[in-house]
Amino acid sequence: MSRIRLLPETVASQVAAGEVVERPASVVKELIENSIDAGCRKIDVVIRRGGISLVRVIDDGWGMDRDDALLSLERHATSKIRSAADLQAVATLGFRGEALPSIASVSRFRLTTREAGAVAGTEIVVNGGKIDIVRDGGEAPGTQVEVRSLFYNLPARRKFLRSENTETRNIEHQIHLQAIGHPDVGFSLLRDDRMLFQLPPATTLADRIRDLYGVELLGRLVQISAVPSRNIRVGGFIGHAGLSRQTKSQQLVFVNGRAIESGLLTAAIREGYHTALMKGQFPVTFLFLEIDPAAVDVNVHPAKREVRFRDPTTVREAIVDSIQQTLERSRTEWKEKFRAPAIASKPVQEKTVPDLTLRAQTPAPAEIHRELPHLGPAVAGGIDRAKTPSVSPGGHTDRLPTPLVDSSGDAVVRQRSQQLATEQQFQIIGVLSKLYVLMENADGLVLVDQHAAHERILFEELRRRMEEQGVPTQKLLLPQTFDVPPRDADWIERNISILQKMGIGIESFGPGTFKIDSLPGFLSVSEPAQFMRKVIDDLKSAGNSTSPMRLGEEMIAKTVCRHAVKANDPLRYPEIEKLIRDLLDCDLPYCCPHGRPTMIQLSLAELEKKFGRKI
Ligand SMILES: Nc1ncnc2c1ncn2[C@@H]1O[C@H](COP(=O)(O)OP(=O)(O)OP(=O)(O)O)[C@@H](O)[C@H]1O
Ligand SMILES: [Mg+2]
């Protein structure tokens, strides 16, 4: 007896729907994609009860005539591709002819559509995949799809749905993605009769980001400006180094206008940020990749969420390069801004400047060379230029004693601070909690974490040394041998020249055994073999595609911490001053090698808001 039977059409559609329609947000996604493919200018979305009871998507696209409207509900019916060859270079969001029949098979479905010049439109009602009504409809030109009671005929599926709130959040995220991907299209979302947002068709991506996420986030983004490479154009916006999130929810990536998830691109973005990103944090990106459609396969994921690149290495490099170039440029701009002159507003009386309380905590050393906390009033008073001892123009400052030890104490410090202020255009106010240096610049208050700052400076110094003349090494008193498992041995063999360049004198000493006879001079390691095992573990996890510089950076980043000034190490004024100066000379001054911020700006506007001076 034969066992195999062809499935009835409705069951086959339901099976297909299982892949296409996971939840209400997938319905929203498919319908919006259809609207965009139909050249619309505006999309209105209405949802009820997290989209479970209703999803309605209305567009002003080119609509369909009655024949097409009927055909659009058939499986494998599409206007977007015609042959297998077309599948090689898909330029539309849809291409399978699966979405509408799938959705219609698991819901109570209604489609109304009208072409621009047509006298009448068409209305089709489908229940659980069966067409119930076809008649003339009188809606405005465009298409409206209404999906009610999702999964009403698949109770098992319905059970998998999450709470209404969660489903709503998913839908919102989906609309955000589409709205960012297509700023030229207007969007609105009405949820349970409440208008959640209305986005006008925006002229630029920046406008759209501002409309959706606010002007503050936009202000913390940098526009990608990278030289297009090898037929790939990378554009959009990325977060300033130091701006990151705990989840990937604001790491948006588009390939030819299609929002996608991609491990490859996520890793490339991370690599582009490198030491500008805190461990476990995700950068904020609105990244657009324009690439020849023939160089990307979109037909790899049932929900069209992933793509495959024909040449992943080129794509990866294009992303890494453009992020690095962009961060580099933003650093220069940022530095300019940071150095903008501090506005000397009202003269501040020395007495009125609050003591930074630390004076009590940090016993003043008897010596004249004073700790920075004592400088607070003096330096802040420095704003009041008239009160400071006159510094004759034309080189008097050159005669300032170095190092800064002078019997006139505060006065010298004040002079020095002024000199610094004119050069760097910031003023040091004091140190808080023996860790945070407080400074004033044109924008307001800047807090510097001295530990993180020192880490960044050391990191860049060592990296420069590594680049220039190689890392100075120190011979071990006794060379050491150590064994590693075969996988690690393999890794060391492959990277041995890099390790040597980093100042590690390592060579093979039989199968699975290595000998080290020197280590970088800046390290103080008591157990070299143990240290090597740790380095190898760390570096292996840093990725396979690492260059010598990259590995070196990684190692330095992992080791500098120990050398950096610990929090609570009181620094003297000239040390603080030098620290700030060196920090501002760094390539990436605003975060430590682990991506933690080195400084935080509290703008005057923010302060005014906090003090209720401005609403
Ligand atoms: N909003 C719309 N406006 C105009 N035509 C539409 C609209 N929605 C669907 N269509 C037409 O119906 C066809 C079928 O839509 P459907 O979403 O099922 O498949 P698709 O978009 O071609 O491919 P995919 O399954 O990948 O989404 C489309 O090819 C398109 O011609
Ligand atoms: Mg579609």
Side-chain angles (χ1 to χ4, degrees):
M1 200 183 78
S2 62
R3 293 163 189 266
I4 304 177
R5 244 164 259 145
L6 273 177
L7 286 175
E9 189 52 33
T10 39
V11 181
S13 291
Q14 283 179 3
V15 172
E19 301 210 306
V20 176
V21 193
E22 242 176 296
R23 52 182 3 104
S26 353
V27 173
V28 172
K29 170 184 192 278
E30 293 294 343
L31 297 181
I32 291 180
E33 285 188 356
N34 280 348
S35 299
I36 290 170
D37 281 346
C40 73
R41 297 273 301 138
K42 183 162 136 323
I43 300 174
D44 297 313
V45 183
V46 179
I47 58 166
R48 267 210 202 110
R49 299 197 42 223
I52 303 164
S53 100
L54 170 73
V55 169
R56 184 188 297 136
V57 174
I58 307 155
D59 71 49
D60 60 355
W62 53 59
M64 289 177 269
D65 65 16
R66 179 163 298 189
D67 287 351
D68 272 0
L70 282 165
L71 208 52
S72 74
L73 298 167
E74 299 282 334
R75 287 187 63 209
H76 314 304
T78 179
S79 57
K80 298 170 192 177
I81 59 165
R82 281 170 196 279
S83 64
D86 291 347
L87 202 53
Q88 308 298 314
V90 175
T92 45
L93 296 169
F95 53 87
R96 308 157 307 179
E98 287 274 6
L100 289 188
S102 299
I103 298 167
S105 72
V106 294
S107 67
R108 302 187 195 282
F109 180 98
R110 185 169 152 262
L111 167 82
T112 30
T113 183
R114 176 144 83 97
E115 288 182 304
V119 190
T122 304
E123 178 183 352
I124 304 174
V125 176
V126 188
N127 282 311
K130 280 214 318 286
I131 295 182
D132 279 348
I133 301 169
V134 181
R135 61 183 168 212
D136 279 358
E139 304 285 344
T143 302
Q144 170 170 337
V145 177
E146 209 174 79
V147 178
R148 288 181 186 274
S149 315
L150 188 64
F151 301 137
Y152 79 98
N153 50 351
L154 290 181
R157 268 256 135 160
R158 216 178 150 94
K159 279 199 201 113
F160 276 98
L161 293 179
R162 311 283 291 276
S163 73
E164 282 176 26
N165 279 342
T166 310
E167 296 298 349
T168 304
R169 266 205 305 280
N170 285 331
I171 290 175
E172 275 184 69
H173 179 66
Q174 194 49 244
I175 302 179
H176 283 193
L177 280 178
Q178 303 284 358
I180 292 290
H182 305 276
D184 49 328
V185 178
F187 282 86
S188 75
L189 173 61
L190 189 74
R191 169 194 156 189
D192 298 317
D193 299 321
R194 236 188 89 217
M195 186 60 80
L196 283 197
F197 54 76
Q198 265 179 309
L199 304 167
T203 47
T204 62
L205 174 63
D207 289 344
R208 180 50 56 89
I209 294 173
R210 188 204 51 221
D211 290 348
L212 208 48
Y213 299 105
V215 71
E216 201 177 307
L217 180 75
L218 185 64
R220 299 177 74 191
L221 301 177
V222 205
Q223 183 154 22
I224 297 179
S225 62
V227 192
S229 66
R230 289 150 277 173
N231 305 328
I232 300 176
R233 235 177 57 82
V234 186
F237 288 82
I238 56 169
H240 218 282
L243 173 68
S244 59
R245 300 275 186 263
Q246 269 159 355
T247 68
K248 262 199 281 189
S249 64
Q250 261 183 6
Q251 188 177 319
L252 278 42
V253 181
F254 301 84
V255 175
N256 295 343
R258 182 191 303 279
I260 58 144
E261 288 164 15
S262 156
L264 175 92
L265 297 189
T266 306
I269 291 172
R270 186 158 274 283
E271 182 165 351
Y273 272 86
H274 188 32
T275 62
L277 197 66
M278 226 187 290
K279 214 173 169 188
Q281 293 280 86
F282 297 91
V284 174
T285 66
F286 300 92
L287 192 135
F288 288 72
L289 195 74
E290 299 294 334
I291 184 171
D292 175 6
V296 44
D297 188 357
V298 291
N299 189 22
V300 294
H301 188 273
K304 297 177 286 185
R305 260 204 311 264
E306 290 170 14
V307 296
R308 197 181 295 137
F309 297 104
R310 303 239 193 277
D311 184 359
T313 314
T314 316
V315 171
R316 198 187 126 266
E317 280 168 9
I319 303 269
V320 175
D321 286 354
S322 37
I323 292 193
Q324 279 174 347
Q325 285 173 30
T326 306
L327 290 177
E328 180 88 356
R329 184 178 50 84
S330 90
R331 166 187 70 88
T332 323
E333 286 172 9
W334 184 88
K335 265 175 147 174
E336 291 303 316
K337 194 172 143 213
F338 192 81
R339 287 180 191 197
I343 306 153
S345 43
K346 287 198 190 104
V348 182
Q349 292 296 316
E350 286 197 18
K351 272 184 231 130
T352 63
V353 176
D355 191 336
L356 292 176
T357 61
L358 286 165
R359 194 191 298 221
Q361 289 168 19
T362 322
E367 51 180 330
I368 302 156
H369 199 145
R370 301 177 116 186
E371 301 287 336
L372 190 74
H374 299 276
L375 300 175
V379 177
I383 299 169
D384 182 4
R385 302 245 146 82
K387 298 187 90 196
T388 57
S390 63
V391 180
S392 62
H396 179 101
T397 46
D398 289 345
R399 273 180 271 129
L400 277 174
T402 356
L404 198 64
V405 183
D406 192 277
S407 57
S408 56
D410 277 3
V412 173
V413 159
R414 201 176 300 153
Q415 280 178 356
R416 193 73 187 92
S417 129
Q418 278 205 334
Q419 183 196 12
L420 186 69
T422 42
E423 279 170 22
Q424 303 280 21
Q425 306 299 352
F426 62 80
Q427 288 170 358
I428 297 172
I429 302 169
V431 176
L432 181 70
S433 197
K434 297 186 204 161
L435 172 61
Y436 305 108
V437 181
L438 308 186
M439 300 196 301
E440 178 184 0
N441 75 342
D443 274 353
L445 181 68
V446 180
L447 291 121
V448 178
D449 176 330
Q450 65 178 47
H451 180 56
H454 199 197
E455 265 185 50
R456 165 55 65 183
I457 296 163
L458 250 174
F459 171 77
E460 294 205 1
E461 191 190 311
L462 288 172
R463 188 175 59 178
R464 200 160 31 241
R465 271 205 249 159
M466 191 172 77
E467 244 169 354
E468 286 163 6
Q469 68 271 46
V471 178
T473 60
Q474 191 154 21
K475 283 257 171 253
L476 300 179
L477 284 177
L478 287 173
Q480 288 210 0
T481 56
F482 64 102
D483 300 332
V484 288
R487 274 250 241 86
D488 287 358
D490 212 47
W491 187 91
I492 299 181
E493 294 286 2
R494 268 187 289 122
N495 292 289
I496 204 152
S497 62
I498 302 173
L499 293 169
Q500 284 162 350
K501 196 160 186 292
M502 281 156 45
I504 300 176
I506 183 167
E507 59 187 66
S508 180
F509 201 70
T513 307
F514 294 87
K515 185 179 88 173
I516 27 173
D517 60 9
S518 59
L519 282 175
F522 61 85
L523 290 176
S524 59
V525 173
S526 51
E527 292 281 346
Q530 215 172 330
F531 168 77
M532 276 315 295
R533 286 204 188 91
K534 173 127 188 24
V535 167
I536 290 158
D537 267 358
D538 284 350
L539 297 189
K540 260 191 350 200
S541 64
N544 295 321
S545 54
T546 22
S547 65
M549 269 313 285
R550 234 5 240 290
L551 268 187
E553 283 183 352
E554 203 66 39
M555 188 177 98
I556 297 172
K558 298 239 149 74
T559 51
V560 284
C561 220
R562 281 173 245 181
H563 293 253
V565 185
K566 294 278 168 279
N568 304 333
D569 282 359
L571 287 186
R572 289 150 193 265
Y573 180 78
E575 290 167 338
I576 292 273
E577 183 201 291
K578 184 168 181 319
L579 185 83
I580 302 299
R581 229 180 247 278
D582 289 349
L583 179 65
L584 291 179
D585 281 339
C586 281
D587 283 342
L588 213 63
Y590 32 70
C591 53
C592 81
H594 311 99
R596 282 195 305 277
T598 51
M599 50 179 105
I600 293 171
Q601 170 100 50
L602 260 180
S603 70
L604 291 172
E606 273 174 273
L607 288 174
E608 278 175 12
K609 226 158 110 189
K610 285 196 162 57
F611 282 113
R613 289 175 171 272
K614 210 167 65 181
I615 310 135

